[in-house]
Amino acid sequence: MEDGIPIDMKAAIYSYNVWVGEVDGNRLRDLLDFTLYRAGFEVLNFMEHHFEPQGYTAIWLLSESHLAVHTFPEEAKAYIELSSCNKTKNALFAEIISPLGIKEVR
Amino acid sequence: MEDGIPIDMKAAIYSYNVWVGEVDGNRLRDLLDFTLYRAGFEVLNFMEHHFEPQGYTAIWLLSESHLAVHTFPEEAKAYIELSSCNKTKNALFAEIISPLGIKEVR
């Protein structure tokens, strides 16, 4: 410990990236909100954008870095990217999201 | 062309990640704002957070996906991550940011 900063707070970013076959923005937002909560992330802020004629982006500002989702409806897929300084929570996020019914694609 | 979607709009995410030796949030925000503008990105939304006792996160929601910066003042470094569906603008961003005086670190 040094100045209250835990030793495991060493600056590092762990990435979790996945392409999924879900493009409904509201459904993705709800699933990701739930996954963040279950993995123990703290959401500090949020923004989203619905593109015309289609497409959706949502970004969560976390105590532990950030999460983003971008949909590409023209190709029936979306890109989810979690960048976090907390390795344990990142692993939990990956574990929790897989059985939630979002099909992984490439 | 199909429904007005240019052929090069194929769903792909190009990542540019770098650790830099700058931790001043305002300076990073200004530099990144400028770099986005010069690289031709369209900023649709923005959010930032100043952590206590230290640390700063800023995230830009772009027409072309997103950009984030997270500072780790306790280690005198920050992580910049651009995730964009536009390969050309991503390359431009990388080109423009390097001479701006942010020292790359690891």
Side-chain angles (χ1 to χ4, degrees), chain B residues 33-51:
Chain B
D33 257 339
F34 175 78
T35 307
L36 285 172
Y37 169 74
R38 286 289 305 279
F41 284 99
E42 185 187 13
V43 177
L44 297 174
N45 208 342
F46 172 78
M47 59 188 174
E48 62 185 341
H49 189 87
H50 290 273
F51 291 88

Side-chain angles (χ1 to χ4, degrees), chain B residues 13-32:
Chain B
I13 292 283
Y14 303 94
S15 279
Y16 169 77
N17 310 312
V18 65
W19 286 92
V20 297
E22 171 66 59
V23 293
D24 183 282
N26 293 339
R27 184 165 147 76
L28 281 166
R29 187 189 57 217
D30 290 351
L31 280 169
L32 292 170

Side-chain angles (χ1 to χ4, degrees), chain B:
Chain B
M1 300 286 288
E2 188 189 341
D3 294 336
I5 299 162
I7 277 162
D8 68 344
M9 215 15 215
K10 194 138 187 291
I13 292 283
Y14 303 94
S15 279
Y16 169 77
N17 310 312
V18 65
W19 286 92
V20 297
E22 171 66 59
V23 293
D24 183 282
N26 293 339
R27 184 165 147 76
L28 281 166
R29 187 189 57 217
D30 290 351
L31 280 169
L32 292 170
D33 257 339
F34 175 78
T35 307
L36 285 172
Y37 169 74
R38 286 289 305 279
F41 284 99
E42 185 187 13
V43 177
L44 297 174
N45 208 342
F46 172 78
M47 59 188 174
E48 62 185 341
H49 189 87
H50 290 273
F51 291 88
E52 286 299 334
Q54 59 182 5
Y56 173 77
T57 285
I59 309 176
W60 289 256
L61 193 158
L62 309 170
S63 285
E64 310 85 350
S65 306
H66 74 276
L67 168 69
V69 61
H70 305 288
T71 75
F72 297 86
E74 69 278 15
E75 296 188 25
K77 61 189 192 181
Y79 178 74
I80 296 169
E81 182 190 85
L82 173 66
S83 294
S84 155
C85 56
N86 188 305
K87 196 179 184 175
T88 311
K89 292 183 186 177
N90 246 47
L92 264 174
F93 183 94
E95 252 183 67
I96 295 163
I97 205 171
S98 31
L100 288 183
I102 314 188
K103 199 175 129 234
E104 197 169 328
V105 294
R106 190 51 238 188

